[in-house]
Amino acid sequence: GPAPAPSSPLGGADPFSARRGRIIHRLLQVLPDLAADRRLAVMDRYLGGADLRLAAAQQAEIAAQVSALLAAPHLAGIFAPGGLSEAPLVGRLGDHVVAGQMDRLLVGEKEIMVVDYKSGRASETGFHPAYVRQMALYRALLGQVYPGRAIRCALLWTETAAVEELPPDLLDSTELV
């Protein structure tokens, strides 16, 4: 299958940033499916777990960032009930079997949206080719599962809460296998 895209093409100079990215990713997998009034307690328990070895300030920083993402009105659709977290996807493209795991999948009657969480912030210079290829693969496989439905692909930058939708023509022009 495709190699997972790097968490940031620029790499994080801060050694804590990669770990923070993984922790935020995990919380965004679990919390949207919980009732809003339970989220904070679950997040605090997870962040305070001995295995994470987070300082109180780090716990507070992550909790504030994740809470802001989940509360952001422009992200409400992404975190809406009924969305799927960590949805597996397997299929054939030509002679290749491709497998992936989508961070968030929203299945509507007319349209499908797949969202990939990325640490850090969007690049000024456009989409990293690894991200474009990853999303183009997801779109091609989802097109087999949901023929006739529009399939939209977006990146959610967890540091800035920016959502960037990948243009269909960019995905169309990407070499898949």
Side-chain angles (χ1 to χ4, degrees):
S7 63
S8 168
L10 308 172
D14 163 19
F16 178 58
S17 69
R19 227 175 109 220
R20 180 177 58 216
R22 286 192 299 275
I23 292 167
I24 289 169
H25 211 104
R26 180 80 186 115
L27 287 167
L28 292 177
Q29 283 173 30
V30 173
L31 296 178
D33 296 331
L34 299 179
D37 59 353
R38 287 200 49 226
R39 290 176 179 172
L40 205 55
V42 169
M43 180 163 50
D44 286 348
R45 195 166 61 241
Y46 175 69
L47 292 173
D51 55 325
L52 290 184
R53 300 183 313 282
L54 295 175
Q58 292 171 325
Q59 292 178 41
E61 176 203 335
I62 292 172
Q65 189 176 343
V66 170
S67 295
L69 287 167
L70 291 172
H74 72 286
L75 301 180
I78 290 174
F79 296 123
L84 301 171
S85 290
E86 294 298 302
L89 184 62
V90 180
R92 290 188 84 84
L93 293 173
D95 298 332
H96 301 267
V97 173
V98 182
Q101 195 153 320
M102 299 169 287
D103 290 337
R104 194 83 179 148
L105 179 66
L106 306 153
V107 178
E109 304 224 345
K110 293 193 167 62
E111 136 179 316
I112 310 294
M113 186 160 188
V114 58
V115 180
D116 205 59
Y117 307 145
K118 297 298 181 195
S119 304
R121 49 190 69 229
S123 162
E124 306 285 313
T125 57
F127 297 104
H128 190 278
Y131 300 163
V132 176
R133 182 168 180 271
Q134 175 188 16
M135 298 305 270
L137 286 166
Y138 289 166
R139 190 178 73 150
L141 292 174
L142 286 166
Q144 296 173 5
V145 180
Y146 300 103
R149 293 190 213 185
I151 297 167
R152 296 167 54 201
C153 298
L155 304 178
L156 168 56
W157 295 94
T158 58
E159 204 171 294
T160 58
V163 178
E164 285 188 306
E165 192 161 338
L166 285 83
D169 57 344
L170 177 62
L171 296 168
D172 289 342
S173 64
T174 299
E175 194 74 35
L176 292 179
V177 287

